[in-house]
Amino acid sequence: MIIRNVFMKTLYDKRWFVFGWTLGLMALTALMVTFYPAMHQDGSLEQLTKSMPPAFQGLVGNLDNLSRFSTYLASQLFDIRMQIIAGVMAIILALSISISEEENGQLRSLTALPISRTAIVVQKWLAMVVILSVTVLGTMVGILLFQTMINESIDLGELARLIFMTWILLIALGSLTFAAAMASGIRSVALSVGILVLAVSFIVTTFSVGVDWLKDFESFSIFYFFPAVDIVKEGIQLRDVSVLIGISVVSLVVTLIFFRRRDIR
Amino acid sequence: MKKTKTIIELKNVTKKFGTFTAIEDVSFSVEKGEIIGFVGVNGAGKTTTINAMLGFSVPTRGTISLFGERVVPSNAHLSHRHIGYAAGDMELPLHLTGQQYIDFVMSQFKGDHTDRLEALLKQFSPQLEKKIKTLSRGNKQKIALVAAFMTSPAIVVLDEPTSGLDPIMQDAFLELIRSEQKNGVTIFMSSHYLQEVAEVCTRVLLMKNGRIVEDLSAERLQRASGKLVRVVSKKAVIPPPHAKQATTTDNEHGVTTEFSYDGPIPQLQVWLAGLKSVTDLSVGDRTLEAEFRSLYDEGVEVK
């Protein structure tokens, strides 16, 4: 196989990463889908949920969502679990195609060739987007495959909306980490940015249900722009899409500005 | 690419990392067809200079021009179309095979270089079918050298290119440099191996503490002119005129006086004949290393 550009090279380098994570996310999907019959209930727990303190309700989630397969998946898979697990994947991927290559000297070898720094950034970023697409599509395929085992069927439109939002959320997380890595060339900076965004988002989103003063800071969580259950029930909000795509675009621009003028190790 | 005689030019280039000054006020120019040996001890600033020259890093001060065009990181790729680069510590893509890497590099350049590639593969015989991560350092280096020369670049920049090669491959490398010289290729090569520098380079830049301290013809190094004189006597002796780097040490055998001598031989003979109480004496040719050390110790900055 002839590899002609940085885009192809990055995809080739990461082929086992794609394979492993796609299988992993499919396995997670399979587990969550097969749990549905056991979790499914018809609203009898509603009273119990409402008797809980608000903070505890926030941690458990709205049990009403368990009555439909699509809202069950939205609340139990796409809300938090997928965001965190796939988010970690996006951060690892962003680090491995940027700072890891710089630390082991391969980035310097690339920049010694007649490839512009802009091309290196754009092609690596595009490869990251493609890899995230494949893993997210793997999740989609997993749901479609495993739902037949429990005789359920999700509305394709609802599933497509969830998958699309997961995709742009992961691109935003990956782009932020990629930007920090390529702009600074320092692993600790890149790792801090990725982990900080993920950790702050997790804390703010899970605790803002019960902690009143945190509500004012909900929009500081990147997950705020991916309300999975609302996406199933009401559709995608333009604001959410704009913010997530905006984060990716701004990150890419920042990467280009800084990477084009900094030292390569 | 502008058609200029001077194809590499550094003017007052300084590179600082925080408070540490890696290179300071480095200026030199290289003309087409020159084979430059870039010599200095570890940490002298050779790699920092090469990194700035190729646009891997941004100089804190000063300007760099390649082919008459000013180089900054964002436009360095334009000059890289005419530059081959290999380094002793160069890390190639680990997940690719040698062949995939060669194809990848080839894809970045215009034109058909198949014949040239075949000739280089015959000369260096690198292992191309295995993944690069499984190869020895020497084999990786062979691949890096083939990749650096295969597109017939106008300049080849080499940073410690032979440090992992066996003696046979070092000879093949020197042979390649000689043939490239005949083709008018400009080569800028940093090296610890003074013998190889003296054998193939037309000019030597000596770097010390981040500065260019000598800019001399390779002939001077190659000549390694003069003698190394060692005298053991009961009393200390005063070295003759033209003696350099004289050292005196006391031990149980007497006083050992050592110095380099590049004056007239008859004068040395007269001086030797006048010595008294000598218990041991040796007069030999100065090695290239001794010449290098002498230049390095003098450390006169080139203006």
Side-chain angles (χ1 to χ4, degrees), chain B residues 232-260:
Chain B
V232 183
S233 55
K234 286 180 181 163
K235 288 179 183 174
V237 296
I238 298 166
H242 306 291
K244 287 192 293 190
Q245 287 107 39
T247 58
T248 306
T249 48
D250 270 320
N251 57 34
E252 69 267 28
H253 306 297
V255 182
T256 304
T257 306
E258 262 184 344
F259 57 86
S260 298

PDB file of all heavy atoms in Angstrom, chain B residues 232-260:
ATOM      1  N   VAL B 232      60.672  13.370  28.241  1.00  0.00           N
ATOM      2  CA  VAL B 232      60.702  13.083  29.691  1.00  0.00           C
ATOM      3  C   VAL B 232      62.126  13.346  30.156  1.00  0.00           C
ATOM      4  O   VAL B 232      63.081  12.785  29.600  1.00  0.00           O
ATOM      5  CB  VAL B 232      60.292  11.626  29.989  1.00  0.00           C
ATOM      6  CG1 VAL B 232      60.263  11.390  31.512  1.00  0.00           C
ATOM      7  CG2 VAL B 232      58.939  11.296  29.369  1.00  0.00           C
ATOM      8  N   SER B 233      62.281  14.229  31.128  1.00  0.00           N
ATOM      9  CA  SER B 233      63.626  14.599  31.591  1.00  0.00           C
ATOM     10  C   SER B 233      63.616  14.773  33.111  1.00  0.00           C
ATOM     11  O   SER B 233      62.551  14.777  33.734  1.00  0.00           O
ATOM     12  CB  SER B 233      64.067  15.902  30.914  1.00  0.00           C
ATOM     13  OG  SER B 233      63.105  16.900  31.155  1.00  0.00           O
ATOM     14  N   LYS B 234      64.838  14.878  33.679  1.00  0.00           N
ATOM     15  CA  LYS B 234      64.902  15.022  35.136  1.00  0.00           C
ATOM     16  C   LYS B 234      64.475  16.424  35.573  1.00  0.00           C
ATOM     17  O   LYS B 234      63.951  16.608  36.665  1.00  0.00           O
ATOM     18  CB  LYS B 234      66.321  14.718  35.627  1.00  0.00           C
ATOM     19  CG  LYS B 234      66.595  13.218  35.564  1.00  0.00           C
ATOM     20  CD  LYS B 234      67.970  12.882  36.045  1.00  0.00           C
ATOM     21  CE  LYS B 234      68.203  11.369  35.925  1.00  0.00           C
ATOM     22  NZ  LYS B 234      69.621  11.024  35.986  1.00  0.00           N
ATOM     23  N   LYS B 235      64.714  17.384  34.699  1.00  0.00           N
ATOM     24  CA  LYS B 235      64.308  18.755  35.013  1.00  0.00           C
ATOM     25  C   LYS B 235      63.341  19.243  33.924  1.00  0.00           C
ATOM     26  O   LYS B 235      63.378  18.752  32.800  1.00  0.00           O
ATOM     27  CB  LYS B 235      65.524  19.682  35.025  1.00  0.00           C
ATOM     28  CG  LYS B 235      66.420  19.459  36.214  1.00  0.00           C
ATOM     29  CD  LYS B 235      67.590  20.412  36.114  1.00  0.00           C
ATOM     30  CE  LYS B 235      68.558  20.178  37.262  1.00  0.00           C
ATOM     31  NZ  LYS B 235      69.776  20.996  37.104  1.00  0.00           N
ATOM     32  N   ALA B 236      62.543  20.219  34.273  1.00  0.00           N
ATOM     33  CA  ALA B 236      61.610  20.787  33.285  1.00  0.00           C
ATOM     34  C   ALA B 236      62.396  21.445  32.159  1.00  0.00           C
ATOM     35  O   ALA B 236      63.466  22.026  32.404  1.00  0.00           O
ATOM     36  CB  ALA B 236      60.713  21.815  33.959  1.00  0.00           C
ATOM     37  N   VAL B 237      61.863  21.321  30.935  1.00  0.00           N
ATOM     38  CA  VAL B 237      62.544  21.964  29.800  1.00  0.00           C
ATOM     39  C   VAL B 237      61.667  23.093  29.268  1.00  0.00           C
ATOM     40  O   VAL B 237      60.446  23.061  29.420  1.00  0.00           O
ATOM     41  CB  VAL B 237      62.833  20.952  28.665  1.00  0.00           C
ATOM     42  CG1 VAL B 237      63.799  19.884  29.114  1.00  0.00           C
ATOM     43  CG2 VAL B 237      61.532  20.335  28.135  1.00  0.00           C
ATOM     44  N   ILE B 238      62.332  24.057  28.660  1.00  0.00           N
ATOM     45  CA  ILE B 238      61.574  25.161  28.056  1.00  0.00           C
ATOM     46  C   ILE B 238      61.344  24.813  26.586  1.00  0.00           C
ATOM     47  O   ILE B 238      62.300  24.559  25.852  1.00  0.00           O
ATOM     48  CB  ILE B 238      62.358  26.492  28.161  1.00  0.00           C
ATOM     49  CG1 ILE B 238      62.560  26.808  29.648  1.00  0.00           C
ATOM     50  CG2 ILE B 238      61.608  27.623  27.466  1.00  0.00           C
ATOM     51  CD1 ILE B 238      63.587  27.902  29.886  1.00  0.00           C
ATOM     52  N   PRO B 239      60.081  24.740  26.154  1.00  0.00           N
ATOM     53  CA  PRO B 239      59.802  24.352  24.756  1.00  0.00           C
ATOM     54  C   PRO B 239      60.416  25.346  23.784  1.00  0.00           C
ATOM     55  O   PRO B 239      60.612  26.523  24.117  1.00  0.00           O
ATOM     56  CB  PRO B 239      58.281  24.385  24.675  1.00  0.00           C
ATOM     57  CG  PRO B 239      57.810  24.291  26.084  1.00  0.00           C
ATOM     58  CD  PRO B 239      58.856  24.972  26.910  1.00  0.00           C
ATOM     59  N   PRO B 240      60.694  24.878  22.566  1.00  0.00           N
ATOM     60  CA  PRO B 240      61.326  25.760  21.574  1.00  0.00           C
ATOM     61  C   PRO B 240      60.320  26.771  21.014  1.00  0.00           C
ATOM     62  O   PRO B 240      59.124  26.637  21.244  1.00  0.00           O
ATOM     63  CB  PRO B 240      61.751  24.772  20.476  1.00  0.00           C
ATOM     64  CG  PRO B 240      60.742  23.676  20.563  1.00  0.00           C
ATOM     65  CD  PRO B 240      60.406  23.547  22.012  1.00  0.00           C
ATOM     66  N   PRO B 241      60.817  27.780  20.275  1.00  0.00           N
ATOM     67  CA  PRO B 241      59.890  28.669  19.568  1.00  0.00           C
ATOM     68  C   PRO B 241      59.003  27.837  18.633  1.00  0.00           C
ATOM     69  O   PRO B 241      59.421  26.764  18.197  1.00  0.00           O
ATOM     70  CB  PRO B 241      60.811  29.593  18.762  1.00  0.00           C
ATOM     71  CG  PRO B 241      62.127  29.487  19.421  1.00  0.00           C
ATOM     72  CD  PRO B 241      62.224  28.134  20.030  1.00  0.00           C
ATOM     73  N   HIS B 242      57.815  28.295  18.315  1.00  0.00           N
ATOM     74  CA  HIS B 242      56.812  27.613  17.475  1.00  0.00           C
ATOM     75  C   HIS B 242      56.099  26.471  18.202  1.00  0.00           C
ATOM     76  O   HIS B 242      55.251  25.815  17.599  1.00  0.00           O
ATOM     77  CB  HIS B 242      57.420  27.056  16.172  1.00  0.00           C
ATOM     78  CG  HIS B 242      58.148  28.072  15.357  1.00  0.00           C
ATOM     79  ND1 HIS B 242      57.505  29.101  14.721  1.00  0.00           N
ATOM     80  CD2 HIS B 242      59.476  28.227  15.094  1.00  0.00           C
ATOM     81  CE1 HIS B 242      58.406  29.848  14.087  1.00  0.00           C
ATOM     82  NE2 HIS B 242      59.623  29.343  14.311  1.00  0.00           N
ATOM     83  N   ALA B 243      56.452  26.235  19.463  1.00  0.00           N
ATOM     84  CA  ALA B 243      55.742  25.185  20.196  1.00  0.00           C
ATOM     85  C   ALA B 243      54.376  25.720  20.631  1.00  0.00           C
ATOM     86  O   ALA B 243      54.229  26.903  20.939  1.00  0.00           O
ATOM     87  CB  ALA B 243      56.555  24.774  21.412  1.00  0.00           C
ATOM     88  N   LYS B 244      53.388  24.801  20.598  1.00  0.00           N
ATOM     89  CA  LYS B 244      52.026  25.206  20.995  1.00  0.00           C
ATOM     90  C   LYS B 244      51.464  24.173  21.975  1.00  0.00           C
ATOM     91  O   LYS B 244      51.858  23.015  21.950  1.00  0.00           O
ATOM     92  CB  LYS B 244      51.108  25.284  19.767  1.00  0.00           C
ATOM     93  CG  LYS B 244      51.394  26.484  18.887  1.00  0.00           C
ATOM     94  CD  LYS B 244      50.304  26.702  17.856  1.00  0.00           C
ATOM     95  CE  LYS B 244      50.257  25.597  16.825  1.00  0.00           C
ATOM     96  NZ  LYS B 244      49.370  25.887  15.695  1.00  0.00           N
ATOM     97  N   GLN B 245      50.545  24.606  22.746  1.00  0.00           N
ATOM     98  CA  GLN B 245      49.865  23.751  23.736  1.00  0.00           C
ATOM     99  C   GLN B 245      50.833  22.939  24.579  1.00  0.00           C
ATOM    100  O   GLN B 245      50.683  21.714  24.708  1.00  0.00           O
ATOM    101  CB  GLN B 245      48.885  22.793  23.053  1.00  0.00           C
ATOM    102  CG  GLN B 245      47.637  23.443  22.523  1.00  0.00           C
ATOM    103  CD  GLN B 245      47.664  23.538  21.027  1.00  0.00           C
ATOM    104  OE1 GLN B 245      48.121  22.628  20.365  1.00  0.00           O
ATOM    105  NE2 GLN B 245      47.200  24.637  20.508  1.00  0.00           N
ATOM    106  N   ALA B 246      51.835  23.622  25.079  1.00  0.00           N
ATOM    107  CA  ALA B 246      52.813  22.903  25.894  1.00  0.00           C
ATOM    108  C   ALA B 246      52.208  22.564  27.255  1.00  0.00           C
ATOM    109  O   ALA B 246      51.536  23.381  27.867  1.00  0.00           O
ATOM    110  CB  ALA B 246      54.046  23.765  26.060  1.00  0.00           C
ATOM    111  N   THR B 247      52.444  21.326  27.680  1.00  0.00           N
ATOM    112  CA  THR B 247      52.002  20.917  29.018  1.00  0.00           C
ATOM    113  C   THR B 247      53.168  20.250  29.732  1.00  0.00           C
ATOM    114  O   THR B 247      54.014  19.606  29.096  1.00  0.00           O
ATOM    115  CB  THR B 247      50.823  19.909  28.947  1.00  0.00           C
ATOM    116  OG1 THR B 247      51.248  18.777  28.199  1.00  0.00           O
ATOM    117  CG2 THR B 247      49.592  20.521  28.326  1.00  0.00           C
ATOM    118  N   THR B 248      53.215  20.421  31.024  1.00  0.00           N
ATOM    119  CA  THR B 248      54.287  19.800  31.819  1.00  0.00           C
ATOM    120  C   THR B 248      53.654  19.045  32.977  1.00  0.00           C
ATOM    121  O   THR B 248      52.811  19.598  33.686  1.00  0.00           O
ATOM    122  CB  THR B 248      55.233  20.896  32.369  1.00  0.00           C
ATOM    123  OG1 THR B 248      55.685  21.678  31.264  1.00  0.00           O
ATOM    124  CG2 THR B 248      56.429  20.286  33.071  1.00  0.00           C
ATOM    125  N   THR B 249      54.042  17.784  33.135  1.00  0.00           N
ATOM    126  CA  THR B 249      53.522  17.001  34.267  1.00  0.00           C
ATOM    127  C   THR B 249      54.672  16.309  34.984  1.00  0.00           C
ATOM    128  O   THR B 249      55.617  15.836  34.351  1.00  0.00           O
ATOM    129  CB  THR B 249      52.517  15.938  33.794  1.00  0.00           C
ATOM    130  OG1 THR B 249      53.086  15.239  32.683  1.00  0.00           O
ATOM    131  CG2 THR B 249      51.193  16.535  33.385  1.00  0.00           C
ATOM    132  N   ASP B 250      54.562  16.263  36.273  1.00  0.00           N
ATOM    133  CA  ASP B 250      55.572  15.585  37.113  1.00  0.00           C
ATOM    134  C   ASP B 250      55.094  14.176  37.425  1.00  0.00           C
ATOM    135  O   ASP B 250      53.937  13.986  37.758  1.00  0.00           O
ATOM    136  CB  ASP B 250      55.710  16.339  38.451  1.00  0.00           C
ATOM    137  CG  ASP B 250      56.771  17.422  38.356  1.00  0.00           C
ATOM    138  OD1 ASP B 250      57.811  17.172  37.734  1.00  0.00           O
ATOM    139  OD2 ASP B 250      56.519  18.524  38.892  1.00  0.00           O
ATOM    140  N   ASN B 251      55.979  13.200  37.323  1.00  0.00           N
ATOM    141  CA  ASN B 251      55.648  11.860  37.831  1.00  0.00           C
ATOM    142  C   ASN B 251      56.941  11.164  38.278  1.00  0.00           C
ATOM    143  O   ASN B 251      58.013  11.796  38.273  1.00  0.00           O
ATOM    144  CB  ASN B 251      54.900  11.035  36.769  1.00  0.00           C
ATOM    145  CG  ASN B 251      55.696  10.916  35.477  1.00  0.00           C
ATOM    146  OD1 ASN B 251      56.925  10.859  35.498  1.00  0.00           O
ATOM    147  ND2 ASN B 251      54.986  10.904  34.355  1.00  0.00           N
ATOM    148  N   GLU B 252      56.822   9.897  38.623  1.00  0.00           N
ATOM    149  CA  GLU B 252      57.999   9.215  39.197  1.00  0.00           C
ATOM    150  C   GLU B 252      59.145   9.069  38.200  1.00  0.00           C
ATOM    151  O   GLU B 252      60.303   8.887  38.575  1.00  0.00           O
ATOM    152  CB  GLU B 252      57.601   7.847  39.791  1.00  0.00           C
ATOM    153  CG  GLU B 252      57.192   6.796  38.792  1.00  0.00           C
ATOM    154  CD  GLU B 252      55.682   6.768  38.548  1.00  0.00           C
ATOM    155  OE1 GLU B 252      55.020   7.826  38.692  1.00  0.00           O
ATOM    156  OE2 GLU B 252      55.186   5.702  38.177  1.00  0.00           O
ATOM    157  N   HIS B 253      58.819   9.129  36.875  1.00  0.00           N
ATOM    158  CA  HIS B 253      59.872   9.006  35.855  1.00  0.00           C
ATOM    159  C   HIS B 253      60.585  10.327  35.594  1.00  0.00           C
ATOM    160  O   HIS B 253      61.581  10.368  34.895  1.00  0.00           O
ATOM    161  CB  HIS B 253      59.292   8.497  34.542  1.00  0.00           C
ATOM    162  CG  HIS B 253      58.525   7.216  34.702  1.00  0.00           C
ATOM    163  ND1 HIS B 253      59.132   6.062  35.120  1.00  0.00           N
ATOM    164  CD2 HIS B 253      57.216   6.928  34.538  1.00  0.00           C
ATOM    165  CE1 HIS B 253      58.222   5.097  35.182  1.00  0.00           C
ATOM    166  NE2 HIS B 253      57.044   5.607  34.842  1.00  0.00           N
ATOM    167  N   GLY B 254      60.049  11.415  36.086  1.00  0.00           N
ATOM    168  CA  GLY B 254      60.648  12.721  35.835  1.00  0.00           C
ATOM    169  C   GLY B 254      59.590  13.730  35.431  1.00  0.00           C
ATOM    170  O   GLY B 254      58.422  13.588  35.793  1.00  0.00           O
ATOM    171  N   VAL B 255      60.013  14.700  34.654  1.00  0.00           N
ATOM    172  CA  VAL B 255      59.087  15.747  34.201  1.00  0.00           C
ATOM    173  C   VAL B 255      58.771  15.491  32.727  1.00  0.00           C
ATOM    174  O   VAL B 255      59.678  15.398  31.900  1.00  0.00           O
ATOM    175  CB  VAL B 255      59.713  17.151  34.373  1.00  0.00           C
ATOM    176  CG1 VAL B 255      58.722  18.225  33.939  1.00  0.00           C
ATOM    177  CG2 VAL B 255      60.160  17.370  35.812  1.00  0.00           C
ATOM    178  N   THR B 256      57.469  15.349  32.423  1.00  0.00           N
ATOM    179  CA  THR B 256      57.073  15.120  31.036  1.00  0.00           C
ATOM    180  C   THR B 256      56.590  16.433  30.420  1.00  0.00           C
ATOM    181  O   THR B 256      55.690  17.086  30.963  1.00  0.00           O
ATOM    182  CB  THR B 256      55.946  14.071  30.952  1.00  0.00           C
ATOM    183  OG1 THR B 256      56.400  12.885  31.598  1.00  0.00           O
ATOM    184  CG2 THR B 256      55.575  13.755  29.512  1.00  0.00           C
ATOM    185  N   THR B 257      57.228  16.797  29.327  1.00  0.00           N
ATOM    186  CA  THR B 257      56.813  18.017  28.616  1.00  0.00           C
ATOM    187  C   THR B 257      56.285  17.605  27.244  1.00  0.00           C
ATOM    188  O   THR B 257      56.950  16.848  26.518  1.00  0.00           O
ATOM    189  CB  THR B 257      58.012  18.977  28.435  1.00  0.00           C
ATOM    190  OG1 THR B 257      58.583  19.208  29.722  1.00  0.00           O
ATOM    191  CG2 THR B 257      57.585  20.289  27.802  1.00  0.00           C
ATOM    192  N   GLU B 258      55.096  18.060  26.936  1.00  0.00           N
ATOM    193  CA  GLU B 258      54.474  17.716  25.643  1.00  0.00           C
ATOM    194  C   GLU B 258      54.083  18.987  24.945  1.00  0.00           C
ATOM    195  O   GLU B 258      53.586  19.925  25.586  1.00  0.00           O
ATOM    196  CB  GLU B 258      53.215  16.865  25.866  1.00  0.00           C
ATOM    197  CG  GLU B 258      53.454  15.386  25.691  1.00  0.00           C
ATOM    198  CD  GLU B 258      52.157  14.588  25.813  1.00  0.00           C
ATOM    199  OE1 GLU B 258      51.156  15.125  26.323  1.00  0.00           O
ATOM    200  OE2 GLU B 258      52.181  13.444  25.396  1.00  0.00           O
ATOM    201  N   PHE B 259      54.315  19.033  23.652  1.00  0.00           N
ATOM    202  CA  PHE B 259      53.862  20.209  22.896  1.00  0.00           C
ATOM    203  C   PHE B 259      53.707  19.872  21.420  1.00  0.00           C
ATOM    204  O   PHE B 259      54.246  18.870  20.932  1.00  0.00           O
ATOM    205  CB  PHE B 259      54.831  21.398  23.082  1.00  0.00           C
ATOM    206  CG  PHE B 259      56.247  21.102  22.701  1.00  0.00           C
ATOM    207  CD1 PHE B 259      56.674  21.251  21.378  1.00  0.00           C
ATOM    208  CD2 PHE B 259      57.173  20.681  23.662  1.00  0.00           C
ATOM    209  CE1 PHE B 259      57.991  20.988  21.042  1.00  0.00           C
ATOM    210  CE2 PHE B 259      58.477  20.407  23.314  1.00  0.00           C
ATOM    211  CZ  PHE B 259      58.906  20.557  21.988  1.00  0.00           C
ATOM    212  N   SER B 260      52.914  20.710  20.761  1.00  0.00           N
ATOM    213  CA  SER B 260      52.790  20.601  19.305  1.00  0.00           C
ATOM    214  C   SER B 260      53.821  21.533  18.692  1.00  0.00           C
ATOM    215  O   SER B 260      54.080  22.611  19.234  1.00  0.00           O
ATOM    216  CB  SER B 260      51.401  21.049  18.852  1.00  0.00           C
ATOM    217  OG  SER B 260      50.437  20.227  19.417  1.00  0.00           O
TER     218      SER B 260
END
